[in-house]
Amino acid sequence: QAQVVESGGGLVQPGGSLRLSCAPSGRTLDTLVIGWFRQVPGKGREGVSSISSNGRSTKYADSVKGRFTISRDSAKQAVYLQMSSLRPEDTGVYYCASLRRTYTDYVSLESTDYTSWGQGTQVTVSS
């Protein structure tokens, strides 16, 4: 089963940018759907973005469309979440998750679809 590790969180001012990275191990990206989720205390995990195992399809939550971009680098076997125009409401723990779907267009923002989760990285947007 693929393990995933996130990195890149931190403190940023409103309007700023951050890039999160997700590195799966144990399986290659062309066998994995990758999703980004976030969670704040007292709330469930919210699906933020997803990229398909063939790299051709992406999906975004309405709250981040036009501000966040998901991408992947097959050579580095990494997935990135570029976050721009950050708002205080983007604050939370961001998790990377993986789901086995070999070379398909499938994407999902449903946390129950995913079988492997990273430990999370804190993103704080504050002045």
Side-chain angles (χ1 to χ4, degrees):
Q1 187 163 339
Q3 303 297 315
V4 291
V5 178
E6 312 94 337
S7 61
L11 173 64
V12 63
Q13 291 187 342
S17 298
L18 275 178
R19 189 179 79 160
L20 305 183
S21 299
C22 173
S25 62
R27 298 195 69 87
T28 54
L29 280 180
D30 62 353
T31 67
L32 298 172
V33 178
I34 299 294
W36 283 100
F37 295 80
R38 64 187 180 191
Q39 190 169 23
V40 297
K43 292 189 177 181
R45 287 185 184 178
E46 173 193 14
V48 174
S49 185
S50 175
I51 188 165
S52 62
S53 55
N54 62 14
R56 296 173 185 165
S57 296
T58 59
K59 189 171 186 177
Y60 297 92
D62 288 343
S63 58
V64 306
K65 281 181 182 176
R67 300 188 298 121
F68 290 11
T69 302
I70 192 169
S71 63
R72 69 181 211 173
D73 186 329
S74 296
K76 295 183 178 179
Q77 288 293 295
V79 172
Y80 305 104
L81 185 68
Q82 179 67 47
M83 306 185 295
S84 302
S85 301
L86 283 162
R87 305 167 180 169
E89 54 264 39
D90 294 318
T91 294
V93 178
Y94 281 70
Y95 296 90
C96 174
S98 68
L99 159 67
R100 282 186 61 181
R101 286 286 192 278
T102 301
Y103 210 71
T104 71
D105 289 325
Y106 186 80
V107 288
S108 173
L109 297 182
E110 296 295 330
S111 61
T112 53
D113 282 348
Y114 291 82
T115 55
S116 183
W117 292 81
Q119 80 286 354
T121 186
Q122 177 70 43
V123 172
T124 302
V125 184
S126 175
S127 55

